[in-house]
Amino acid sequence: MASKKIFGIVLAGGEGKRLMPLTADRAKPAVPFGGGYRLIDFALSNLVNSGLRQIVVLTQYKSHSLDRHVSQTWRLSGLLGSYIASVPAQQRLGKRWFAGSADAILQSLNLLRDEKPDIVVVVGADHVYRMDFTQMIDAHIASGAGATVAAIRQPLSLADQFGVIQIDEQNPDRIAAFLEKPKDAVGLADSPDEILASMGNYVFDADVLIEAVRRDGERSDSNHDMGGDIIPDFVKRGEAGVYDLNRNHVPGSTDRDKFYWRDVGTIESFFDAHQDLVSALPVFNLYNREWPIFSQQLNSPPAKFVRDANNNVGTAIDSIVSLGCVVQGSHIERSVLGPWSMIESGAKIVNSVVFERAHIGAGATISMAILDKDVVVAPGATVGVDHDLDRTRGFTVTDSGITVVGKGVRVD
Ligand code: ADQ
């Protein structure tokens, strides 16, 4: 890999409909995660930790907050040609935005022409995981495939959310069949309740990728989608390789988190991933300093826990409390507090995720809830305690009983 020039493309245009209302004002990759992170930080950290230094982030829907995050947080020095740049839809093929993820690459082909890389790593931006891409790139080069798809085992019940891979028995590094989000998938021979899913991360020989998206762009019967059109085309031609995440070894990973890969595209999975983070021994370890997950460096004071006027102590257990928070005479349990949240006297927050700059008034109760940025909860008010009341106030309540309050809402 040492002599090859590698270029990274992050597909970050997804709408994230299933995360509404958290994606009402921001693209899914910009959704906050784990206190101070955004979802895109996981993909970018993996690429940067893998040594990539030329990366573009292709954006589309509601990209303002994503652009701001990428430009403020992911500043590589610019020396030696290093950069991470966010590139909005170019409309270079006429007055239209991107059609699908392959069209997004087609519209940005000038970037590849300028840089002339040998290899292009294309990744999604909405998963929580660690992966060393150098190992996948080496496997790609060794196999001689034009395209290599990263894969991980997932439950059969989730097959309709993933590209499902069938391995070539004669040549286990190759894909024999690929079905994008099939309704009637069959389990693996050695594990009937599982399928081999595409992670939506790919490695391509650059010239082969350019040719493939160009060819796809001319087809009227294509949705111009990487998973739905480009990869199946490579498979048909016998040119698609597979790289199983099981082969990946990330420095500092533990036995518990080495194959953790979580699609946090629904409110339930987003909530569950946070409940994992706040447990004493989470599966996903944010504290691995050998493969750090980078994010914005806030210019904020540390979190503070103080008594109130009646001498009630401010406490947080099994929780993540971000910079700038003040917990005064109130109690936080199994929850994540985003930066600059103020929790007043006697308030209680349990099993919840609170984004940036929340203000929780005295005596308020928050339970099994996700509060978006700038939510204000009036003294004594509740969220997640009475679901009928939550619904009448216009909040989203999931079947599993998670209440979601949108950005900037005042709860009385
Ligand atoms: P999905 O995630 O459902 O499945 P898609 O909606 O195309 O596929 O999103 C893939 C990535 O591309 C996401 O990061 C998204 O933000 C981004 N994206 C989508 N449209 C885009 C556009 N027009 N411009 C820029 N970026 C765009 C994919 C694969 C499956 C695989 C799953 C793994 O298609 O085969 O199993 O990911 O989660």
Side-chain angles (χ1 to χ4, degrees):
M1 185 192 132
S3 60
K4 301 275 186 191
K5 183 165 177 186
I6 321 276
F7 188 78
I9 294 181
V10 180
L11 299 169
E15 250 183 303
K17 285 197 192 105
R18 292 172 303 161
L19 271 182
M20 284 294 266
L22 305 178
T23 45
D25 278 350
R26 51 171 96 80
K28 183 168 154 192
V31 170
F33 185 84
Y37 302 89
R38 305 285 185 132
L39 285 181
I40 194 172
D41 293 332
F42 294 87
L44 285 174
S45 296
N46 285 326
L47 293 176
V48 166
N49 287 332
S50 300
L52 273 78
R53 293 292 180 268
Q54 293 183 327
I55 301 168
V56 291
V57 176
L58 303 185
T59 64
Q60 182 179 25
Y61 297 98
K62 296 170 185 156
S63 59
H64 175 63
S65 117
L66 186 58
D67 288 341
R68 205 182 41 207
H69 177 72
V70 170
S71 58
Q72 288 178 354
T73 303
W74 289 93
R75 281 175 298 193
L76 298 186
S77 80
L79 287 177
L80 310 174
S82 304
Y83 58 84
I84 295 180
S86 122
V87 180
Q90 300 292 302
Q91 297 193 329
R92 62 178 56 249
L93 302 179
K95 286 266 168 249
R96 65 179 171 90
W97 298 91
F98 295 149
S101 50
D103 187 50
I105 297 178
L106 179 66
Q107 292 202 36
S108 307
L109 275 190
N110 59 312
L111 303 167
L112 293 180
R113 263 188 240 115
D114 290 349
E115 294 294 354
K116 299 187 181 53
D118 301 298
I119 301 276
V120 184
V121 181
V122 178
V123 301
D126 33 24
H127 296 101
V128 176
Y129 68 112
R130 279 195 172 82
M131 178 171 177
D132 180 355
F133 283 98
T134 61
Q135 295 165 35
M136 179 174 173
I137 294 166
D138 285 342
H140 168 82
I141 294 169
S143 79
T148 300
V149 180
I152 186 169
R153 287 182 179 222
Q154 289 290 297
L156 174 63
S157 57
L158 300 180
D160 62 357
Q161 299 181 24
F162 295 120
V164 175
I165 294 169
Q166 199 186 317
I167 285 181
D168 185 340
E169 281 174 19
Q170 310 304 318
N171 185 353
D173 281 342
R174 291 291 160 121
I175 302 179
F178 184 98
L179 290 173
E180 179 73 351
K181 301 174 185 160
K183 296 267 173 281
D184 49 0
V186 190
L188 292 165
D190 66 355
S191 178
D193 293 334
E194 290 186 309
I195 47 138
L196 190 61
S198 160
M199 295 168 61
N201 291 343
Y202 319 103
V203 175
F204 294 93
D205 289 352
D207 48 352
V208 172
L209 172 65
I210 292 171
E211 196 197 310
V213 293
R214 273 215 193 110
R215 209 176 30 234
D216 175 77
E218 283 161 14
R219 279 175 45 190
S220 54
D221 60 340
S222 170
N223 290 322
H224 313 301
D225 187 41
M226 293 303 285
D229 303 286
I230 300 288
I231 297 301
D233 203 43
F234 274 94
V235 172
K236 246 182 260 153
R237 285 181 278 121
E239 287 174 20
V242 60
Y243 177 80
D244 196 322
L245 192 70
N246 270 306
R247 293 166 64 182
N248 210 257
H249 299 284
V250 173
S253 269
T254 62
D255 278 351
R256 288 170 65 78
D257 79 349
K258 66 182 171 190
F259 305 129
Y260 183 98
W261 177 80
R262 193 72 73 92
D263 179 354
V264 286
T266 62
I267 293 294
E268 276 82 7
S269 60
F270 183 82
F271 182 85
D272 288 349
H274 281 88
Q275 287 297 298
D276 172 54
L277 281 189
V278 296
S279 61
L281 250 189
V283 183
F284 191 79
N285 173 21
L286 281 174
Y287 301 86
N288 174 356
R289 292 172 66 182
E290 292 177 57
W291 196 268
I293 305 299
F294 301 104
S295 192
Q296 56 188 346
Q297 296 298 310
L298 289 174
N299 191 2
S300 319
K304 185 175 172 186
F305 300 83
V306 289
R307 293 167 198 268
D308 63 12
N310 297 323
N311 224 15
N312 295 314
V313 288
T315 52
I317 53 172
D318 296 337
S319 293
I320 291 175
V321 181
S322 303
L323 292 178
C325 290
V326 179
V327 177
Q328 181 177 33
S330 43
H331 183 65
I332 318 294
E333 196 159 335
R334 288 189 303 280
S335 296
V336 176
L337 293 191
W340 293 103
S341 295
M342 295 287 156
I343 319 298
E344 306 238 11
S345 180
K348 207 170 155 193
I349 303 181
V350 183
N351 292 327
S352 293
V353 183
V354 175
F355 289 3
E356 220 176 314
R357 292 198 310 237
H359 193 140
I360 312 298
T365 302
I366 316 293
S367 173
M368 285 275 288
I370 302 174
L371 310 187
D372 202 332
K373 185 175 168 178
D374 288 329
V375 167
V376 175
V377 179
T382 66
V383 177
V385 174
D386 178 343
H387 288 158
D388 290 335
L389 174 64
D390 287 349
R391 283 191 199 93
T392 44
R393 293 183 292 188
F395 307 155
T396 301
V397 181
T398 67
D399 293 346
S400 54
I402 303 161
T403 302
V404 191
V405 181
K407 192 167 146 188
V409 168
R410 185 188 157 89
V411 183
D412 287 303

XYZ file of all heavy atoms in Angstrom, residues 10-16 18 27-29 57-61 87 89 97-105 123-127 149-150 159 161-164 178-181 197-202 224-228 231 261 263, ligand 1:
458
model
N -16.257 10.321 1.417
C -17.275 10.013 2.423
C -18.630 10.420 1.852
O -18.832 11.578 1.482
C -17.000 10.783 3.742
C -18.063 10.444 4.778
C -15.615 10.466 4.269
N -19.527 9.446 1.745
C -20.876 9.722 1.244
C -21.702 10.236 2.420
O -21.988 9.487 3.349
C -21.507 8.441 0.697
C -20.771 7.788 -0.469
C -21.338 6.400 -0.749
C -20.860 8.671 -1.709
N -22.037 11.516 2.394
C -22.681 12.093 3.583
C -23.965 12.830 3.228
O -24.351 13.783 3.897
C -21.709 13.026 4.287
N -24.608 12.367 2.165
C -25.796 13.084 1.706
C -27.098 12.498 2.182
O -28.167 12.950 1.792
N -27.039 11.465 3.014
C -28.264 10.758 3.398
C -29.236 11.626 4.189
O -28.833 12.447 5.001
N -30.516 11.406 3.922
C -31.558 12.211 4.556
C -31.828 11.775 5.988
O -32.143 12.582 6.843
C -32.851 12.002 3.760
C -33.293 13.193 2.988
C -34.619 12.902 2.293
O -34.673 11.932 1.511
O -35.568 13.635 2.531
N -31.741 10.455 6.221
C -31.982 9.957 7.568
C -33.422 10.112 8.018
O -33.691 10.528 9.148
N -35.587 8.025 8.990
C -36.012 7.239 10.156
C -35.513 7.828 11.473
O -35.866 7.344 12.531
C -35.543 5.782 10.000
C -36.248 5.046 8.866
C -35.627 3.695 8.629
N -34.208 3.819 8.351
C -33.329 2.842 8.451
N -33.720 1.658 8.859
N -32.053 3.028 8.179
N -28.365 16.912 8.166
C -28.175 15.620 7.506
C -27.835 14.579 8.572
O -27.275 14.904 9.623
C -27.013 15.728 6.516
N -28.153 13.322 8.270
C -27.920 12.264 9.253
C -26.461 12.217 9.765
O -26.242 12.072 10.971
C -28.328 10.930 8.618
C -28.233 9.734 9.509
C -28.952 8.578 8.843
C -28.442 7.242 9.279
N -28.953 6.154 8.429
N -25.457 12.366 8.888
C -24.081 12.295 9.406
C -23.738 13.414 10.397
O -22.747 13.333 11.103
C -23.225 12.431 8.137
C -24.124 11.993 7.022
C -25.489 12.451 7.413
N -15.879 15.028 1.546
C -17.160 14.652 2.135
C -18.233 15.157 1.185
O -18.356 16.377 0.990
C -17.315 15.305 3.529
C -18.690 15.002 4.114
C -16.208 14.857 4.476
N -18.949 14.245 0.536
C -19.973 14.663 -0.430
C -21.297 14.871 0.310
O -21.834 13.936 0.911
C -20.137 13.610 -1.525
C -18.871 13.265 -2.309
C -19.199 12.301 -3.457
C -18.181 14.517 -2.860
N -21.781 16.096 0.284
C -22.990 16.427 1.047
C -24.135 16.738 0.091
O -23.934 16.962 -1.091
C -22.764 17.646 1.947
O -22.511 18.784 1.122
C -21.591 17.430 2.873
N -25.322 16.761 0.645
C -26.475 17.130 -0.165
C -27.555 17.765 0.688
O -27.619 18.971 0.819
C -27.006 15.921 -0.929
C -28.181 16.292 -1.819
C -28.700 15.102 -2.587
O -28.531 13.974 -2.182
N -29.372 15.363 -3.697
N -28.377 16.926 1.344
C -29.507 17.460 2.108
C -29.051 18.255 3.322
O -28.168 17.821 4.049
C -30.384 16.325 2.648
C -31.011 15.515 1.567
C -30.450 14.318 1.180
C -32.149 15.969 0.922
C -31.011 13.559 0.177
C -32.722 15.224 -0.083
C -32.147 14.021 -0.453
O -32.700 13.283 -1.443
N -17.848 18.860 0.083
C -18.169 19.248 -1.297
C -19.668 19.093 -1.507
O -20.190 17.976 -1.509
C -17.418 18.341 -2.309
C -17.752 18.743 -3.738
C -15.914 18.393 -2.076
N -23.386 19.256 -3.553
C -23.817 18.844 -4.898
C -23.427 19.927 -5.899
O -23.645 21.105 -5.673
C -25.324 18.640 -4.901
N -29.931 18.085 -8.431
C -29.026 17.706 -7.358
C -28.625 16.256 -7.595
O -28.845 15.703 -8.653
C -29.715 17.906 -6.007
C -30.067 19.343 -5.791
C -31.232 19.960 -6.116
C -29.210 20.361 -5.269
N -31.159 21.299 -5.812
C -29.938 21.568 -5.286
C -27.896 20.378 -4.767
C -29.395 22.774 -4.831
C -27.371 21.574 -4.310
C -28.113 22.750 -4.348
N -28.023 15.638 -6.601
C -27.612 14.245 -6.772
C -28.828 13.348 -6.912
O -29.846 13.567 -6.264
C -26.868 13.739 -5.543
C -25.561 14.421 -5.295
C -25.114 14.574 -4.002
C -24.768 14.862 -6.328
C -23.898 15.167 -3.736
C -23.548 15.462 -6.084
C -23.119 15.616 -4.778
N -28.716 12.304 -7.716
C -29.785 11.315 -7.787
C -29.544 10.246 -6.725
O -30.398 9.948 -5.913
C -29.812 10.701 -9.169
N -28.368 9.651 -6.685
C -28.042 8.635 -5.686
C -26.561 8.749 -5.365
O -25.880 9.638 -5.888
N -26.066 7.813 -4.531
C -24.684 7.969 -4.075
C -23.667 7.830 -5.220
O -22.619 8.481 -5.208
C -24.394 6.975 -2.949
O -24.800 5.684 -3.321
N -23.996 7.014 -6.266
C -23.064 6.883 -7.391
C -23.067 8.159 -8.224
O -22.032 8.578 -8.765
C -23.464 5.692 -8.269
N -24.243 8.791 -8.310
C -24.345 10.057 -9.035
C -23.549 11.139 -8.315
O -22.945 12.013 -8.948
C -25.820 10.449 -9.145
C -26.011 11.657 -10.026
O -25.467 11.655 -11.146
O -26.681 12.614 -9.586
N -23.533 11.071 -6.967
C -22.751 12.040 -6.195
C -21.272 11.930 -6.586
O -20.586 12.939 -6.757
C -22.920 11.780 -4.703
N -20.794 10.704 -6.765
C -19.381 10.515 -7.160
C -19.178 10.982 -8.600
O -18.217 11.680 -8.907
C -18.958 9.044 -6.978
C -19.049 8.679 -5.490
C -17.537 8.809 -7.506
C -18.699 7.248 -5.171
N -16.741 5.491 1.678
C -17.409 5.015 2.900
C -18.690 5.797 3.171
O -18.826 6.948 2.763
C -16.480 5.124 4.140
C -15.209 4.322 3.945
C -16.144 6.576 4.471
N -19.605 5.170 3.887
C -20.800 5.849 4.378
C -20.428 6.672 5.603
O -19.286 6.611 6.087
N -21.402 7.428 6.104
C -21.062 8.342 7.205
C -22.004 8.187 8.384
O -22.108 9.088 9.205
C -21.104 9.775 6.697
N -22.700 7.070 8.437
C -23.675 7.007 9.519
C -23.609 5.734 10.347
O -24.634 5.210 10.762
C -25.110 7.271 8.995
C -25.304 6.753 7.591
O -24.565 5.845 7.209
O -26.205 7.252 6.891
N -22.378 5.272 10.593
C -22.223 4.104 11.457
C -21.223 4.386 12.568
O -20.318 5.186 12.397
C -21.739 2.900 10.641
C -22.724 2.473 9.617
N -22.598 2.811 8.300
C -23.869 1.787 9.731
C -23.639 2.330 7.627
N -24.423 1.700 8.480
N -15.762 -4.988 -1.207
C -16.851 -4.555 -0.327
C -16.552 -5.049 1.093
O -16.267 -6.234 1.288
C -18.187 -5.176 -0.798
C -19.347 -4.729 0.102
C -18.467 -4.825 -2.255
N -16.608 -4.137 2.087
C -16.421 -4.555 3.483
C -17.702 -5.225 3.969
O -18.804 -4.778 3.654
C -16.098 -3.350 4.356
N -32.019 -8.325 7.129
C -31.514 -8.443 5.751
C -32.075 -7.363 4.831
O -31.381 -6.874 3.935
C -31.841 -9.830 5.191
N -32.433 -4.380 5.264
C -31.824 -3.051 5.432
C -30.415 -2.984 4.843
O -29.774 -1.941 4.885
C -31.725 -2.710 6.921
C -33.071 -2.667 7.589
C -32.951 -2.315 9.058
O -31.992 -1.704 9.490
N -33.943 -2.711 9.819
N -29.938 -4.129 4.342
C -28.533 -4.190 3.923
C -28.372 -4.787 2.530
O -29.249 -5.488 2.036
C -27.738 -5.077 4.890
C -27.653 -4.533 6.292
C -28.160 -5.251 7.357
C -27.067 -3.308 6.535
C -28.076 -4.747 8.652
C -26.977 -2.797 7.818
C -27.484 -3.521 8.884
N -27.187 -4.560 1.955
C -26.783 -5.327 0.799
C -26.335 -6.690 1.314
O -25.509 -6.765 2.223
N -26.902 -7.760 0.763
C -26.602 -9.104 1.273
C -25.657 -9.817 0.299
O -25.923 -9.901 -0.900
C -27.899 -9.907 1.487
C -27.589 -11.339 1.902
C -28.755 -9.225 2.552
N -24.998 -10.588 -5.040
C -25.215 -9.443 -4.146
C -26.633 -8.956 -4.355
O -27.034 -8.643 -5.471
C -24.219 -8.320 -4.505
C -24.276 -7.123 -3.594
C -23.376 -6.981 -2.543
C -25.226 -6.120 -3.792
C -23.418 -5.866 -1.709
C -25.277 -5.010 -2.956
C -24.363 -4.878 -1.925
N -27.413 -8.924 -3.276
C -28.790 -8.422 -3.390
C -28.953 -7.231 -2.463
O -28.661 -7.323 -1.269
C -29.786 -9.511 -2.995
C -29.910 -10.682 -3.961
C -30.793 -11.765 -3.366
C -30.488 -10.185 -5.294
N -29.378 -6.097 -3.011
C -29.552 -4.899 -2.182
C -30.907 -4.965 -1.481
O -31.950 -5.029 -2.112
C -29.439 -3.641 -3.061
C -29.613 -2.323 -2.329
C -28.430 -1.911 -1.431
O -27.503 -2.721 -1.216
O -28.457 -0.779 -0.933
N -30.869 -5.034 -0.158
C -32.054 -5.011 0.707
C -33.138 -6.014 0.281
O -34.285 -5.626 0.013
C -32.609 -3.588 0.766
C -31.551 -2.615 1.297
C -31.953 -1.175 1.255
C -30.778 -0.301 1.687
N -30.856 1.081 1.266
N -23.538 -9.038 5.569
C -24.052 -7.745 5.094
C -22.920 -6.867 4.601
O -21.820 -6.866 5.164
C -24.773 -7.032 6.226
N -23.216 -6.070 3.561
C -22.280 -5.023 3.139
C -22.319 -3.917 4.179
O -23.385 -3.496 4.624
C -22.696 -4.473 1.783
O -22.113 -3.195 1.589
N -21.139 -3.409 4.559
C -21.070 -2.295 5.505
C -21.235 -0.955 4.784
O -21.195 0.103 5.424
C -19.716 -2.307 6.222
C -19.508 -3.534 7.107
S -17.781 -3.703 7.652
C -17.523 -2.207 8.582
N -21.367 -0.989 3.460
C -21.475 0.274 2.707
C -20.124 0.973 2.593
O -20.050 2.151 2.274
N -19.032 0.243 2.845
C -17.663 0.762 2.683
C -16.992 -0.024 1.559
O -17.037 -1.258 1.554
C -16.835 0.548 3.964
C -17.316 1.412 5.110
O -18.037 2.378 4.907
N -16.908 1.068 6.318
N -16.355 0.705 0.631
C -15.788 0.045 -0.543
C -14.368 0.538 -0.824
O -14.044 1.695 -0.536
C -16.637 0.347 -1.787
C -18.141 0.305 -1.549
C -18.876 1.479 -1.424
C -18.803 -0.919 -1.426
C -20.260 1.440 -1.189
C -20.173 -0.963 -1.200
C -20.894 0.220 -1.077
O -22.245 0.178 -0.842
N -28.657 4.934 -9.857
C -27.361 5.583 -9.590
C -26.979 5.488 -8.122
O -26.617 6.473 -7.483
C -27.385 7.048 -10.066
C -27.950 7.205 -11.442
N -27.404 6.574 -12.534
C -29.029 7.883 -11.899
C -28.116 6.866 -13.604
N -29.105 7.652 -13.244
N -27.064 4.264 -7.632
C -26.837 4.014 -6.228
C -25.653 3.052 -6.097
O -25.558 2.087 -6.859
C -28.137 3.367 -5.702
C -28.121 3.190 -4.225
O -27.654 4.106 -3.546
O -28.580 2.130 -3.766
N -24.754 3.303 -5.155
C -23.583 2.417 -5.016
C -24.016 0.986 -4.698
O -23.592 0.034 -5.338
C -22.635 2.933 -3.913
C -21.964 4.247 -4.224
S -21.019 4.217 -5.760
C -19.590 3.289 -5.268
N -24.868 0.854 -3.656
C -25.275 -0.481 -3.220
C -26.242 -1.154 -4.186
O -26.194 -2.366 -4.391
N -27.129 -0.358 -4.804
C -28.177 -0.935 -5.643
C -27.746 -1.165 -7.080
O -28.297 -2.035 -7.767
N -22.293 -1.804 -7.262
C -21.711 -3.061 -6.739
C -22.308 -4.279 -7.466
O -21.552 -5.153 -7.914
C -21.851 -3.143 -5.194
C -21.054 -1.998 -4.540
C -21.403 -4.504 -4.663
C -19.562 -1.961 -4.850
N -20.058 -2.753 15.188
C -20.416 -1.912 14.038
C -21.916 -1.696 14.155
O -22.689 -2.655 14.150
C -20.081 -2.628 12.729
C -20.474 -1.884 11.492
C -19.797 -0.850 10.913
C -21.622 -2.112 10.670
N -20.447 -0.437 9.789
C -21.571 -1.192 9.619
C -22.689 -3.010 10.718
C -22.541 -1.134 8.620
C -23.656 -2.946 9.728
C -23.577 -2.022 8.689
N -25.372 0.382 12.988
C -26.137 1.309 12.178
C -27.069 2.028 13.155
O -27.906 1.387 13.771
C -26.939 0.498 11.145
C -27.780 1.386 10.261
O -27.835 2.601 10.517
O -28.380 0.866 9.311
P -28.104 2.657 2.750
O -27.402 3.310 3.887
O -29.565 2.446 2.893
O -27.407 1.259 2.388
P -27.850 4.942 1.071
O -29.114 5.553 1.515
O -27.439 5.044 -0.356
O -27.792 3.428 1.396
O -26.693 5.590 1.973
C -25.332 5.179 1.912
C -24.443 6.356 2.300
O -24.475 7.290 1.247
C -24.905 7.095 3.547
O -23.775 7.533 4.276
C -25.666 8.281 2.983
O -25.558 9.395 3.875
C -24.954 8.543 1.686
N -25.770 9.052 0.573
C -26.964 8.609 0.126
N -27.374 9.297 -0.940
C -26.399 10.193 -1.194
C -26.229 11.227 -2.155
N -27.142 11.435 -3.086
N -25.118 11.980 -2.066
C -24.177 11.768 -1.139
N -24.281 10.831 -0.201
C -25.366 10.046 -0.230
C -25.995 1.222 2.152
C -25.660 0.195 1.083
C -26.020 -1.223 1.585
C -25.271 -1.458 2.893
C -25.680 -0.385 3.895
C -24.912 -0.514 5.208
O -26.364 0.496 -0.118
O -25.647 -2.198 0.625
O -25.594 -2.746 3.419
O -25.352 0.913 3.369
O -25.528 0.289 6.173
